[in-house]
Amino acid sequence: MEFITQIFAPGTLLFLLIGGVVGLFIGSLPGLSATMGVAILTPLTFWLPPEQGLAMLISIYCVAIFAGGIPAILVNTPGTPASMVTTFDGYALTKQGRAGVALGINAIYSGLGGIISVIFLMLLAQPLSNFALRFGAAEYFALAVFGLSMIIGVSGQSLSKGLISGFIGLFIATIGLDPITSTPRFTYGQSGLYEGVSFIPIMIGLFGLGEVFYQFLSNGNNIQSTNQLGIKKGVGRILPNKEERKEMRKPFALSAIISPIIGAIPGAGGDIASIITWEQSKRFAKGKKKEEYGNGSLGGLAATTSANNGVIGGAFTTMLTLGLPGDSVTAILIGALMMYGLQPGPNLFVESPDIVYIIIGLLLLANILVIVLGLLGSNLFSRIILIKQEYIWISVVLFSIIGAFALNNSYFDVWIVLVSGIVGLIFRKLDYPLGPLILGLLLGPMAESNLRRAVVMGGEQPLAVFYTSPIAMTLIGISILSLVVPLIRGILRQRKQNA
Amino acid sequence: MRAANIMFSFVMIAICGFLYWETYNFTTMFTQDKIGTAFFPRIILALIIITQLIELIKSFKLENSPILPRSMWPISIRLLIFIAVVVLFISLLGVVPFVVNASISLFLLCLILRLPFVPSVLVSVGLSVVVYFIFREGFNIMI
C-alpha cells in the first residue's frame, strides 16, 4: 500500500497542481494542444521522481483536454481538437447569455467522464494484462501490426499520405543499431545516431516547434485580436440546476459508456469520441430536445464534454496493458515511462505494479482537479484567452529547445527538434498527417524485433509460429480487415458516384 | 499545392532510393539472424517509394498552382528569418552564456513577429532568466 503514500505525498500533489495550472493555460489557448504541452514538458519531469513527473504529465493531459472547452464555449474556437464539437452547443449557450452554466457543465461532466473512464481502466487493466502475459514474439509482432493498421483510422483525408507518414515513422525507427545483431544502420559514423533517433525530441519538434512554424505561416499578423472577442467580465451562474442536471443524465450516461471504449482503440482520441457521442445522444433525444442539438443543447454539451475526458481511461488501458498508444498523448507518455526505465505492457503489472496503481490514482485525482479548478476559476480562466499568441510561440520555441537539450544534455537532440519542426511544418502544409508517423515510430521496433525473434524461434518452419498461434492469427486477421474494408468501401463509393 | 506535392514526392523517392541502395552495405550475420539486418528497412523503403509514386500520380491530377503563391512571399521570408534565428540560437548554445544568447534570440524573434518593443525586451529577458533558473538551479543542468 506504499503507492497510496506516494500518491498523497505533498510533492506529488504539488506537481499535480502545477500540471493542472499548466494544462489550463495550454488547453485554454487555441493552437496549443495537450500533445504539444505534454511533449514540451516531458523533459522537465525527467529530473523528478516518477510519481511526481507522472503527476505533472497526467494532470496536464486531463486538465488541458477539459480546458480546450473554455475557448470553444466562450469564443467559438476549440482550444484542442477534442473540443471541436463543444463549440456546437457551448457557444450557442454563450450567445444565449448562459456561458457560466456551459463552463460549469464543461468542468463537471469532463471530470465525471474522466472518473468513469478510470473505473473502466481499473476493471479491465488487470484481466487484459493477464491475458497479454501469454504473448510471445509472434503475438507481439501481430499486436504491432494491429497497432499499425490503425494508421488508416488516423490518416485523415488521404490514405496514401497517411501510409507514407506511417512508413516514414517506421523507417526512422530503423536508424541506429540493429535490435538483434547490433549492426549500425543509417548512422553515417554519427555516434549520436547509434542509439537511434530519440522519440521525445521528434515529438517536441513535430508538435511544438512545427506547430509554431505552421501557425506563423498560416496566420502571420492576421491573428484575431482576442480583446475584440467580446469576453464579458463575469460569466454568471455556473452550477446547473436540478432540471438541467436531469436533462443531461441520459446523454452523459451514454457518453460515459461509449467514450472509454473508443479511447481504448489505438489512434482514436477525444475528437472522434466527442463526434460519435454527440451524434448518438442526438439520436436518442426526443422532440424539442432533439431540435436543440447544435443550438445550445445541454444534453449535447454534456455528451461531448464527458467524451473528451472519457477517452483517457480507455487510452491508458491500451497503453498500460498492451504498450500500444491509445492516442498521441499516451504515445508521448509511453516515451516518458521508458525514460524512467519502465516498459508499458503486460510485464509492467508484474514488474512494477505500484507504478500502475500510482498512474490510476493520479488519473482519478487529476479528474477531480478538473472539476475543482473548473468550478472555482471559470471567471478567471476566461481571461487566459486574452494572452497574445505570439508570446506563447516564443515560450514554446524556448521550452522546445531547452527541454530537448535537458533530456540527455545533448545538442544533437536539439538539432533533431529543429529538423522535426521543419518536417512537421512541411507535413502540415502538404496535408500529411502526423499521427501515423508517431504510430510507426513507436511500433516499428516492436514489430521488427519480434518478427525476427519469431522467425528464429520457428526453426525449420519460420512462419509456423504465426499460423499456429490463434491470438496472432486473430490480430493479423483484424489488421487485414481494417486495411481492406475501407479500401473496398472507397472503391464502391467511387463506383456509385461514377454511376 | 500541386507543384509542392510533386516536388515533395520526387525528393522522397530520390532519398528513399538512395537509402535503399545503402542497405546493401549493411553487414548481415545469418548465423544469428535468418531475416537479416537489411530486410525490414528495405521493405519499408520499398513501401514508401510505391505509395509515394501513387501520391505523385494523384498530384498530377490536382489543380495547377505555384509552390508558393506570390501573396505568401513576405510571410515565408519572415518565417525563414525566424528559423534562421532559431538555428543561430541553437548553434550558440554552450558557446555564448545562455541568458545572453536566449535573451537576444527571443528579442529578435519578437521583432520578427512585430511585437511592441518594450514588452518584447521584458518577455525575452524575463523568460530567459526564468528558464535559466529552472534548469540551472532547479534541475542542475548546465545550459
Side-chain angles (χ1 to χ4, degrees), chain A residues 44 160 178 185 221 452 459, chain B residues 33-34 37 55 58 139:
Chain A
L44 270 176
S160 53
D178 170 347
R185 297 188 296 196
N221 279 346
R452 289 168 68 180
Chain B
D33 184 13
K34 286 182 180 172
T37 304
E55 198 50 46
K58 278 164 76 179
F139 303 123

Side-chain angles (χ1 to χ4, degrees), chain A residues 414-432:
Chain A
V414 181
W415 288 111
I416 288 175
V417 168
L418 181 69
V419 172
S420 308
I422 295 168
V423 170
L425 168 71
I426 296 169
F427 269 45
R428 294 284 304 271
K429 285 305 282 182
L430 297 179
D431 290 329
Y432 281 82

